[in-house]
Amino acid sequence: MLEHLPEWLGASLSGVRAGAEHLVIVNPALGSGFAPIALSSPAFVDWTEMPVRFTADGAGVSPPLVWDALPPGTQSLALIVEDADSPTPAPLVHAIVWGLPAGMHTLAEGAIVADAATGDTGKNSFLSQSWLAPDPPKGHGEHRYVFQLFALDCPAADLGEAPGRGAVLNAIAGHVIGAGMLTGLYARGQVLSATLDPGVAPA
């Protein structure tokens, strides 16, 4: 959808960005002092460009993810992916998955779809239950797509059919005992610096 914005408009909005300070992982409602989780992808390195395959310019499938040992007491996991640089008041939500089992340590390529076999899929910012492929406006510059994995000390809550960001945030508040973050970069028609200051880290 955003690829249809003219490049001059994208460039004029280059200074309008949601900001990393509005990501779920730094929301005060979650608490602090989380155990770190090493979250990564076999498809790209943290703070480097995501392959086109995972964007709206390619196949648009969700990337594979892997993570290491979880903190003791983990009963379930939740994943939220947000664009920290969307030209919107709050980051665009690209994926929500909750109810992932504590014994799980991988999410396969293309796994973030409606009626997924593992976990439950919530609504992205375009109100669909799937991976919202990165689609930054031309001329807007590079965007940070932040994958945030949360280890919870409780079983997955029943949030009904396709909850959004607010419902999931309320459900995990006070229950996060571990968190991991992976950032992929993407821009249209520009060379990425791949040297940005992350600017945000789990508390």
Short mmCIF file of all heavy atoms in Angstrom, two decimals, residues 157-199:
data_model
loop_
_atom_site.label_atom_id
_atom_site.label_comp_id
_atom_site.label_asym_id
_atom_site.label_seq_id
_atom_site.Cartn_x
_atom_site.Cartn_y
_atom_site.Cartn_z
N ALA A 157 -3.05 -16.12 27.78
CA ALA A 157 -4.40 -15.68 28.11
C ALA A 157 -5.32 -15.89 26.91
O ALA A 157 -4.89 -15.89 25.77
CB ALA A 157 -4.38 -14.21 28.50
N ASP A 158 -6.60 -16.08 27.20
CA ASP A 158 -7.60 -16.17 26.14
C ASP A 158 -7.99 -14.75 25.75
O ASP A 158 -8.74 -14.08 26.47
CB ASP A 158 -8.82 -16.95 26.63
CG ASP A 158 -9.87 -17.12 25.54
OD1 ASP A 158 -9.63 -16.64 24.40
OD2 ASP A 158 -10.92 -17.72 25.81
N LEU A 159 -7.49 -14.28 24.65
CA LEU A 159 -7.71 -12.90 24.22
C LEU A 159 -8.78 -12.79 23.14
O LEU A 159 -8.95 -11.72 22.55
CB LEU A 159 -6.40 -12.29 23.72
CG LEU A 159 -5.24 -12.29 24.72
CD1 LEU A 159 -4.02 -11.63 24.11
CD2 LEU A 159 -5.64 -11.59 26.01
N GLY A 160 -9.48 -13.88 22.88
CA GLY A 160 -10.52 -13.83 21.87
C GLY A 160 -9.96 -13.92 20.48
O GLY A 160 -8.80 -14.28 20.27
N GLU A 161 -10.77 -13.56 19.51
CA GLU A 161 -10.39 -13.68 18.11
C GLU A 161 -9.58 -12.47 17.65
O GLU A 161 -10.05 -11.34 17.68
CB GLU A 161 -11.65 -13.81 17.24
CG GLU A 161 -11.38 -14.00 15.75
CD GLU A 161 -10.73 -15.34 15.43
OE1 GLU A 161 -10.83 -16.26 16.25
OE2 GLU A 161 -10.12 -15.45 14.34
N ALA A 162 -8.36 -12.70 17.21
CA ALA A 162 -7.50 -11.70 16.59
C ALA A 162 -7.37 -10.41 17.38
O ALA A 162 -7.77 -9.34 16.92
CB ALA A 162 -8.02 -11.38 15.18
N PRO A 163 -6.81 -10.47 18.59
CA PRO A 163 -6.61 -9.23 19.37
C PRO A 163 -5.55 -8.34 18.74
O PRO A 163 -4.70 -8.81 17.99
CB PRO A 163 -6.15 -9.75 20.73
CG PRO A 163 -5.43 -11.02 20.40
CD PRO A 163 -6.24 -11.63 19.27
N GLY A 164 -5.61 -7.08 19.07
CA GLY A 164 -4.62 -6.13 18.59
C GLY A 164 -3.53 -5.88 19.60
O GLY A 164 -3.47 -6.51 20.67
N ARG A 165 -2.69 -4.91 19.30
CA ARG A 165 -1.52 -4.57 20.12
C ARG A 165 -1.92 -4.24 21.56
O ARG A 165 -1.29 -4.69 22.51
CB ARG A 165 -0.79 -3.40 19.48
CG ARG A 165 0.43 -2.89 20.22
CD ARG A 165 0.94 -1.63 19.53
NE ARG A 165 2.23 -1.18 20.00
CZ ARG A 165 2.41 -0.35 21.02
NH1 ARG A 165 1.36 0.08 21.71
NH2 ARG A 165 3.64 0.03 21.37
N GLY A 166 -2.96 -3.42 21.73
CA GLY A 166 -3.36 -2.99 23.06
C GLY A 166 -3.79 -4.14 23.94
O GLY A 166 -3.42 -4.22 25.12
N ALA A 167 -4.55 -5.07 23.39
CA ALA A 167 -5.02 -6.22 24.16
C ALA A 167 -3.87 -7.12 24.59
O ALA A 167 -3.82 -7.61 25.72
CB ALA A 167 -6.04 -7.02 23.35
N VAL A 168 -2.92 -7.32 23.67
CA VAL A 168 -1.77 -8.16 23.99
C VAL A 168 -0.87 -7.48 25.01
O VAL A 168 -0.39 -8.12 25.96
CB VAL A 168 -0.99 -8.52 22.71
CG1 VAL A 168 0.29 -9.29 23.05
CG2 VAL A 168 -1.85 -9.34 21.78
N LEU A 169 -0.66 -6.18 24.86
CA LEU A 169 0.15 -5.44 25.83
C LEU A 169 -0.46 -5.54 27.22
O LEU A 169 0.24 -5.79 28.20
CB LEU A 169 0.26 -3.98 25.40
CG LEU A 169 0.97 -3.03 26.37
CD1 LEU A 169 2.39 -3.49 26.65
CD2 LEU A 169 0.98 -1.60 25.81
N ASN A 170 -1.76 -5.37 27.33
CA ASN A 170 -2.44 -5.48 28.63
C ASN A 170 -2.30 -6.88 29.22
O ASN A 170 -2.14 -7.04 30.43
CB ASN A 170 -3.91 -5.12 28.49
CG ASN A 170 -4.14 -3.64 28.25
OD1 ASN A 170 -3.28 -2.82 28.55
ND2 ASN A 170 -5.28 -3.29 27.68
N ALA A 171 -2.34 -7.89 28.35
CA ALA A 171 -2.28 -9.27 28.82
C ALA A 171 -0.90 -9.66 29.33
O ALA A 171 -0.78 -10.46 30.27
CB ALA A 171 -2.71 -10.23 27.70
N ILE A 172 0.16 -9.10 28.73
CA ILE A 172 1.51 -9.49 29.14
C ILE A 172 2.08 -8.57 30.21
O ILE A 172 3.09 -8.91 30.83
CB ILE A 172 2.47 -9.57 27.93
CG1 ILE A 172 2.76 -8.20 27.34
CG2 ILE A 172 1.91 -10.52 26.87
CD1 ILE A 172 3.78 -8.21 26.22
N ALA A 173 1.45 -7.42 30.44
CA ALA A 173 1.96 -6.47 31.44
C ALA A 173 2.05 -7.15 32.81
O ALA A 173 1.11 -7.79 33.27
CB ALA A 173 1.04 -5.26 31.52
N GLY A 174 3.22 -7.03 33.43
CA GLY A 174 3.45 -7.64 34.73
C GLY A 174 3.83 -9.10 34.70
O GLY A 174 4.06 -9.71 35.75
N HIS A 175 3.88 -9.69 33.50
CA HIS A 175 4.19 -11.12 33.38
C HIS A 175 5.46 -11.39 32.58
O HIS A 175 5.82 -12.55 32.39
CB HIS A 175 3.01 -11.85 32.72
CG HIS A 175 1.77 -11.85 33.55
ND1 HIS A 175 1.63 -12.63 34.69
CD2 HIS A 175 0.62 -11.14 33.41
CE1 HIS A 175 0.43 -12.42 35.22
NE2 HIS A 175 -0.20 -11.52 34.47
N VAL A 176 6.14 -10.35 32.11
CA VAL A 176 7.34 -10.55 31.30
C VAL A 176 8.54 -10.83 32.21
O VAL A 176 8.86 -10.04 33.09
CB VAL A 176 7.62 -9.31 30.43
CG1 VAL A 176 8.92 -9.50 29.65
CG2 VAL A 176 6.47 -9.05 29.47
N ILE A 177 9.18 -11.97 32.00
CA ILE A 177 10.38 -12.31 32.78
C ILE A 177 11.63 -12.39 31.92
O ILE A 177 12.75 -12.48 32.42
CB ILE A 177 10.19 -13.63 33.56
CG1 ILE A 177 9.85 -14.79 32.62
CG2 ILE A 177 9.11 -13.46 34.63
CD1 ILE A 177 9.76 -16.14 33.34
N GLY A 178 11.44 -12.35 30.61
CA GLY A 178 12.57 -12.35 29.69
C GLY A 178 12.17 -11.69 28.39
O GLY A 178 10.99 -11.71 28.01
N ALA A 179 13.14 -11.08 27.71
CA ALA A 179 12.84 -10.41 26.45
C ALA A 179 14.05 -10.43 25.53
O ALA A 179 15.19 -10.35 25.99
CB ALA A 179 12.40 -8.97 26.69
N GLY A 180 13.78 -10.55 24.25
CA GLY A 180 14.82 -10.50 23.24
C GLY A 180 14.38 -9.63 22.09
O GLY A 180 13.18 -9.43 21.86
N MET A 181 15.34 -9.10 21.35
CA MET A 181 15.03 -8.17 20.29
C MET A 181 15.96 -8.41 19.09
O MET A 181 17.15 -8.66 19.26
CB MET A 181 15.18 -6.74 20.80
CG MET A 181 14.67 -5.66 19.87
SD MET A 181 14.62 -4.05 20.71
CE MET A 181 16.37 -3.76 20.98
N LEU A 182 15.38 -8.34 17.91
CA LEU A 182 16.12 -8.47 16.66
C LEU A 182 15.62 -7.36 15.73
O LEU A 182 14.41 -7.17 15.58
CB LEU A 182 15.86 -9.84 16.03
CG LEU A 182 16.34 -10.06 14.59
CD1 LEU A 182 17.87 -10.09 14.53
CD2 LEU A 182 15.76 -11.36 14.03
N THR A 183 16.55 -6.62 15.11
CA THR A 183 16.16 -5.51 14.25
C THR A 183 16.65 -5.74 12.82
O THR A 183 17.83 -5.97 12.58
CB THR A 183 16.75 -4.18 14.76
OG1 THR A 183 16.27 -3.94 16.09
CG2 THR A 183 16.35 -3.02 13.87
N GLY A 184 15.69 -5.70 11.89
CA GLY A 184 16.01 -5.79 10.47
C GLY A 184 15.74 -4.45 9.82
O GLY A 184 14.78 -3.76 10.18
N LEU A 185 16.58 -4.05 8.88
CA LEU A 185 16.44 -2.76 8.20
C LEU A 185 15.91 -2.95 6.79
O LEU A 185 16.19 -3.96 6.14
CB LEU A 185 17.80 -2.06 8.13
CG LEU A 185 18.58 -1.90 9.44
CD1 LEU A 185 19.92 -1.25 9.16
CD2 LEU A 185 17.78 -1.11 10.46
N TYR A 186 15.14 -1.97 6.34
CA TYR A 186 14.69 -2.01 4.95
C TYR A 186 14.33 -0.61 4.48
O TYR A 186 13.81 0.20 5.25
CB TYR A 186 13.48 -2.93 4.76
CG TYR A 186 13.20 -3.22 3.30
CD1 TYR A 186 14.10 -3.96 2.55
CD2 TYR A 186 12.07 -2.73 2.69
CE1 TYR A 186 13.88 -4.20 1.19
CE2 TYR A 186 11.83 -2.97 1.33
CZ TYR A 186 12.74 -3.71 0.60
OH TYR A 186 12.52 -3.95 -0.74
N ALA A 187 14.65 -0.31 3.22
CA ALA A 187 14.30 0.96 2.59
C ALA A 187 14.08 0.69 1.12
O ALA A 187 14.57 -0.31 0.58
CB ALA A 187 15.39 2.01 2.79
N ARG A 188 13.39 1.60 0.46
CA ARG A 188 13.17 1.46 -0.98
C ARG A 188 14.10 2.41 -1.74
O ARG A 188 14.07 3.61 -1.52
CB ARG A 188 11.72 1.80 -1.33
CG ARG A 188 10.78 0.64 -1.13
CD ARG A 188 9.49 0.86 -1.88
NE ARG A 188 8.71 -0.36 -1.92
CZ ARG A 188 7.74 -0.64 -1.06
NH1 ARG A 188 7.43 0.22 -0.13
NH2 ARG A 188 7.08 -1.77 -1.16
N GLY A 189 14.91 1.84 -2.62
CA GLY A 189 15.73 2.64 -3.50
C GLY A 189 16.87 3.38 -2.84
O GLY A 189 17.36 4.36 -3.37
N GLN A 190 17.30 2.90 -1.64
CA GLN A 190 18.39 3.57 -0.94
C GLN A 190 19.35 2.54 -0.38
O GLN A 190 18.97 1.42 -0.06
CB GLN A 190 17.83 4.42 0.21
CG GLN A 190 16.98 5.59 -0.25
CD GLN A 190 16.36 6.33 0.91
OE1 GLN A 190 15.17 6.23 1.15
NE2 GLN A 190 17.17 7.07 1.64
N VAL A 191 20.62 2.94 -0.26
CA VAL A 191 21.62 2.08 0.36
C VAL A 191 21.53 2.27 1.87
O VAL A 191 21.55 3.40 2.37
CB VAL A 191 23.04 2.44 -0.13
CG1 VAL A 191 24.08 1.60 0.59
CG2 VAL A 191 23.13 2.25 -1.64
N LEU A 192 21.46 1.17 2.59
CA LEU A 192 21.33 1.25 4.03
C LEU A 192 22.69 1.39 4.69
O LEU A 192 23.67 0.81 4.26
CB LEU A 192 20.62 0.00 4.57
CG LEU A 192 19.22 -0.26 4.00
CD1 LEU A 192 18.57 -1.41 4.73
CD2 LEU A 192 18.36 0.98 4.10
N SER A 193 22.69 2.14 5.78
CA SER A 193 23.96 2.39 6.47
C SER A 193 24.43 1.17 7.24
O SER A 193 25.62 0.92 7.36
CB SER A 193 23.80 3.57 7.43
OG SER A 193 22.91 3.25 8.48
N ALA A 194 23.49 0.43 7.83
CA ALA A 194 23.80 -0.75 8.65
C ALA A 194 24.72 -0.41 9.81
O ALA A 194 25.37 -1.27 10.38
CB ALA A 194 24.41 -1.86 7.81
N THR A 195 24.78 0.87 10.18
CA THR A 195 25.63 1.28 11.29
C THR A 195 24.86 2.13 12.29
O THR A 195 25.44 2.89 13.04
CB THR A 195 26.84 2.09 10.78
OG1 THR A 195 26.39 3.23 10.05
CG2 THR A 195 27.71 1.24 9.88
N LEU A 196 23.55 2.02 12.27
CA LEU A 196 22.73 2.84 13.17
C LEU A 196 22.96 2.46 14.62
O LEU A 196 23.27 1.31 14.95
CB LEU A 196 21.24 2.64 12.83
CG LEU A 196 20.77 3.16 11.47
CD1 LEU A 196 19.29 2.85 11.32
CD2 LEU A 196 21.00 4.65 11.35
N ASP A 197 22.79 3.42 15.49
CA ASP A 197 22.79 3.15 16.92
C ASP A 197 21.47 2.50 17.26
O ASP A 197 20.42 3.05 16.96
CB ASP A 197 22.93 4.48 17.69
CG ASP A 197 22.91 4.31 19.20
OD1 ASP A 197 22.77 3.16 19.66
OD2 ASP A 197 23.02 5.31 19.89
N PRO A 198 21.46 1.29 17.87
CA PRO A 198 20.20 0.63 18.17
C PRO A 198 19.23 1.53 18.93
O PRO A 198 18.04 1.53 18.65
CB PRO A 198 20.63 -0.58 19.00
CG PRO A 198 22.00 -0.86 18.54
CD PRO A 198 22.61 0.48 18.23
N GLY A 199 19.69 2.29 19.91
CA GLY A 199 18.84 3.27 20.56
C GLY A 199 17.81 2.71 21.53
O GLY A 199 17.15 3.45 22.20
#
